Amino acid sequence: MRKIIVTEFMSLDGVIENPAWTFPYWNDAIAGFKTEESSAGEHLLLGRVTYEGFAQVWPNSEDQGAVYFNGTRKYVMSKTLSALPWNNSVQIKGDLVQEISKLKQEDGPNLVVHGSGKLANSLLQNGLVDQLRLLVYPLVLGKGQRLFEDGTTAALKLVESKDMGGGVVSFVYTPDRQS
Amino acid sequence: MRKITVSEFVSLDGVMGDPNWTFKYWSDESAAFKFAELFAHDALLLGRVTYEGFAQAWPSQKDEQGYADRMNSMPKHVVSATLDNTTWTNTSVIKSNVIDEIKALKQQDGQDILVFGSDTLVQTLIQNDLVDRYNLLIYPVVLGAGKRLFLDGTTTTLKLAETKSFNSGVTALVYETAPKA
């Protein structure tokens, strides 16, 4: 079964939107954390807004991750998207729970969700997330898309938390299915 | 100058507060953290609701390490225009001129001042740039509703002073705010 891994850059007050605010903090430990989740041929699962943003940026990027992001299969969850400008894209239009459950049943690489706030929330609300990876920044932003919207609940198990340096802390959680 | 530490139990989605959902995560490690925290401060600064809850619960508590003794004996400053019942040992009430009174407290000699709970007071402290440190225990739960520590519109840059993970799944995050003039 394929796992769904949600990975986010997050402010201390839970904002994940447009994480340009992470750039001043970038360091080797953070690069290592991101590399862990961006290799082994994992596929991407994205919402429309993140997909469109990535599709603009990654094809022209010389970043370490560019070969992976541009090459790997990306699923975009959207009923309204009318073009798929990014290499190796597949659109999913149907019911989220049904379609994602079907995808998970397949054999294949894991599905990694970056950004995609609305999609991430729906996945969390429907118990479809197998791993949650967070980089928490020492910032309170006060506005923007939050990872956890009102009404989203979860019981989690902490796998690991590390000081990434520069004030950033990583968290890796799995769902606590016992609770 | 004495510093003000805001100490809170917080869910992963930033909800403060009623620590009922925290009890099952209690561990020797987090107890040690809380012990060190209390003994680094020599006064409490509380809002009325938190004060009243504590004033009911703490007087009958006793433990070998002396945590309860310290909670019961240390000075408590309660911010409230209406509080009448101040039977908890060593209580004084800040009824008016709240910001000035708190600033005066900080100017006194002594160890740092500790705030627990007190969501309304904490917002006042944040808005008036009176918080020097956050001691946050992050619990592995997403609650989906409740009062957030950081309300919409609050913006600030912090410095991570310390992080510790406990086997219970709880992570301590200690942040300092920008140095005050």
Side-chain angles (χ1 to χ4, degrees):
Chain A
M1 205 186 75
R2 309 175 78 173
K3 288 201 171 131
I4 292 191
I5 298 164
V6 171
T7 180
E8 304 291 350
F9 298 110
M10 198 169 87
S11 71
L12 185 57
D13 59 330
V15 174
I16 59 173
E17 186 173 331
N18 228 344
W21 35 266
T22 63
F23 295 166
Y25 298 87
W26 191 262
N27 64 29
D28 288 343
I30 292 170
F33 184 84
K34 299 305 281 176
T35 302
E36 259 168 38
E37 66 199 24
S38 304
S39 48
E42 312 278 54
H43 291 178
L44 301 173
L45 174 61
L46 307 172
R48 181 185 57 78
V49 174
T50 300
Y51 173 85
E52 287 180 330
F54 278 20
Q56 276 213 321
V57 170
W58 280 112
N60 306 314
S61 168
E62 282 168 10
D63 261 16
Q64 211 182 328
V67 170
Y68 161 74
F69 275 93
N70 289 320
T72 197
R73 162 64 52 82
K74 53 278 294 172
Y75 297 95
V76 50
M77 195 76 212
S78 171
K79 292 183 167 58
T80 59
L81 196 57
S82 57
L84 298 176
W86 200 13
N87 175 51
N88 204 354
S89 300
V90 170
Q91 185 171 359
I92 303 177
K93 287 191 198 198
D95 172 71
L96 175 119
V97 176
Q98 269 178 25
E99 296 289 347
I100 299 297
S101 303
K102 242 188 335 182
L103 254 187
K104 289 182 79 167
Q105 290 306 321
E106 291 176 1
D107 286 322
N110 294 328
L111 300 151
V112 185
V113 179
H114 295 254
S116 309
K118 295 195 174 66
L119 172 63
N121 251 287
S122 300
L123 294 169
L124 282 163
Q125 281 165 3
N126 287 286
L128 292 166
V129 177
D130 299 293
Q131 193 184 92
L132 182 59
R133 298 169 65 87
L134 302 173
L135 286 169
V136 177
Y137 287 72
L139 298 168
V140 176
L141 296 174
K143 63 177 175 149
Q145 170 82 39
R146 286 208 157 90
L147 173 59
F148 303 113
E149 286 170 1
D150 283 345
T152 303
T153 61
L156 302 168
K157 248 175 102 167
L158 181 70
V159 174
E160 190 176 63
S161 174
K162 274 201 184 128
D163 187 344
M164 293 276 116
V168 181
V169 182
S170 70
F171 292 84
V172 180
Y173 292 99
T174 52
D176 183 0
R177 301 229 147 97
Q178 246 79 55
S179 296
Chain B
M1 196 190 71
R2 301 168 84 183
K3 296 194 168 152
I4 290 183
T5 302
V6 168
S7 172
E8 303 292 347
F9 303 120
V10 184
S11 68
L12 189 58
D13 56 329
V15 174
M16 279 175 47
D18 180 350
N20 282 327
W21 41 261
T22 68
F23 292 154
K24 71 178 205 177
Y25 298 98
W26 186 91
S27 68
D28 286 344
E29 290 172 300
S30 50
F33 179 87
K34 296 300 283 178
F35 186 89
E37 171 185 74
L38 187 66
F39 281 77
H41 298 77
D42 64 2
L44 297 176
L45 176 62
L46 305 171
R48 182 186 56 79
V49 174
T50 299
Y51 172 84
E52 287 178 336
F54 279 20
Q56 269 216 322
W58 280 105
S60 58
Q61 297 292 321
K62 195 97 180 133
D63 59 278
E64 277 173 11
Q65 288 79 17
Y67 189 97
D69 284 342
R70 192 173 179 89
M71 283 291 284
N72 285 318
S73 63
M74 73 200 289
K76 300 106 181 127
H77 305 277
V78 190
V79 174
S80 172
T82 60
L83 180 66
D84 269 328
N85 186 348
T86 56
T87 54
W88 198 16
T89 312
N90 211 349
T91 297
S92 58
V93 184
I94 301 175
K95 274 192 200 293
S96 57
N97 295 325
V98 173
I99 306 303
D100 288 337
E101 295 279 346
I102 292 174
K103 285 182 175 168
L105 261 184
K106 292 180 84 169
Q107 290 304 324
Q108 288 175 1
D109 288 324
Q111 286 181 293
D112 295 339
I113 301 158
L114 189 53
V115 179
F116 288 130
S118 308
D119 49 23
T120 308
L121 172 63
V122 166
Q123 295 313 316
T124 300
L125 296 172
I126 291 174
Q127 278 154 29
N128 287 278
D129 201 27
L130 291 168
V131 181
D132 298 289
R133 190 188 294 114
Y134 291 98
N135 283 0
L136 305 176
L137 286 180
I138 310 291
Y139 285 75
V141 290
V142 178
L143 293 176
K147 291 214 168 88
R148 286 207 161 93
L149 171 57
F150 297 115
L151 300 181
D152 283 346
T154 307
T155 60
T156 191
T157 302
L158 300 168
K159 204 169 152 215
L160 181 74
E162 191 189 328
T163 176
K164 250 191 187 117
S165 268
F166 307 134
N167 282 331
S168 57
V170 176
T171 304
L173 297 175
V174 177
Y175 292 97
E176 284 161 7
T177 61
K180 307 281 180 284

